[in-house]
Amino acid sequence: GAGVSQSPRYKVAKRGQDVALRCDPISGHVSLFWYQQALGQGPEFLTYFQNEAQLDKSGLPSDRFFAERPEGSVSTLKIQRTQQEDSAVYLCASSRTGAVGNEQFFGPGTRLTVL
Amino acid sequence: AQSVTQLDSHVSVSEGTPVLLRCNYSSSYSPSLFWYVQHPNKGLQLLLKYTSAATLVKGINGFEAEFKKSETSFHLTKPSAHMSDAAEYFCVFPTGGFKTIFGAGTRLFVKA
């Protein structure tokens, strides 16, 4: 594909609703990252996949956050029972290999607003 | 602990003057380091990266950065700012694991 795509671009949820955010990485990219970017701050690491394996989920803020990449391509970040503090831009990035320090290609992000 | 610190939250320069965006890191080993740029309503884009091959790294759009181990710094510079350089800049540290650490960002303003 041309680049990393994310959908939806904008999501408004009422507090307590579940949401699902989708990431389509560059075709063939092994690594996939999710980040949370609060307003005025730098992206914060959430989780990392190498193909379908979730190798690091240390950044997920609570057990309400869940991510999957079942076939090693498309990934979904799910947030259950959303809270106002979950409002942020969620960024997805992919990288060609599993080697540490490779360039990450970022999607445009999904802006989540929880009312 | 591994960390990266961007020393200025905002930098304002006049068009045609030099740009300096400062970044310091903390690591027990010589790291890889990156600078990314985020234009409004656009995705993050890699400007340049240091991976120990050369301490002076040249990137896109005339930017460059110098890795200084003695100062634990990786400052981003450009000789002459252009209006299109106005954006948010992030110093990024891919740790030895899978976690990637971003600095808080520096917003660059360019005055005409």
Side-chain angles (χ1 to χ4, degrees), chain A residues 85-104:
Chain A
E85 62 263 28
D86 300 334
S87 294
V89 176
Y90 291 85
L91 297 169
C92 175
S94 70
S95 178
R96 189 173 55 85
T97 73
V100 173
N102 274 346
E103 177 181 359
Q104 295 179 31

Side-chain angles (χ1 to χ4, degrees), chain B residues 21-32:
Chain B
L21 306 182
R22 298 182 293 166
C23 172
N24 284 92
Y25 69 92
S26 174
S27 176
S28 57
Y29 58 91
S30 287
S32 296

Side-chain angles (χ1 to χ4, degrees), chain A:
Chain A
V4 179
S5 60
Q6 294 185 244
S7 61
R9 290 293 311 278
Y10 302 90
K11 177 69 178 177
V12 178
K14 292 183 179 179
R15 187 161 54 95
Q17 283 185 331
D18 297 349
V19 298
L21 312 179
R22 177 187 169 107
C23 172
D24 285 80
I26 294 173
S27 179
H29 275 199
V30 168
S31 294
L32 187 144
F33 303 77
W34 281 101
Y35 297 88
Q36 179 189 61
Q37 186 175 21
L39 189 63
Q41 297 183 22
E44 296 275 349
F45 170 85
L46 292 177
T47 187
Y48 167 78
F49 289 87
Q50 192 169 102
N51 297 308
E52 69 278 3
Q54 189 176 22
L55 299 186
D56 190 333
K57 54 182 180 180
S58 62
L60 296 176
S62 76
D63 58 7
R64 296 186 296 104
F65 286 72
F66 172 77
E68 60 183 5
R69 193 186 184 198
E71 297 178 358
S73 55
V74 172
S75 178
T76 303
L77 177 66
K78 297 179 180 178
I79 309 174
Q80 297 177 323
R81 305 180 303 281
T82 52
Q83 304 295 315
Q84 284 190 321
E85 62 263 28
D86 300 334
S87 294
V89 176
Y90 291 85
L91 297 169
C92 175
S94 70
S95 178
R96 189 173 55 85
T97 73
V100 173
N102 274 346
E103 177 181 359
Q104 295 179 31
F105 295 85
F106 283 82
T110 295
R111 183 177 297 276
L112 172 66
T113 303
V114 181
L115 302 177

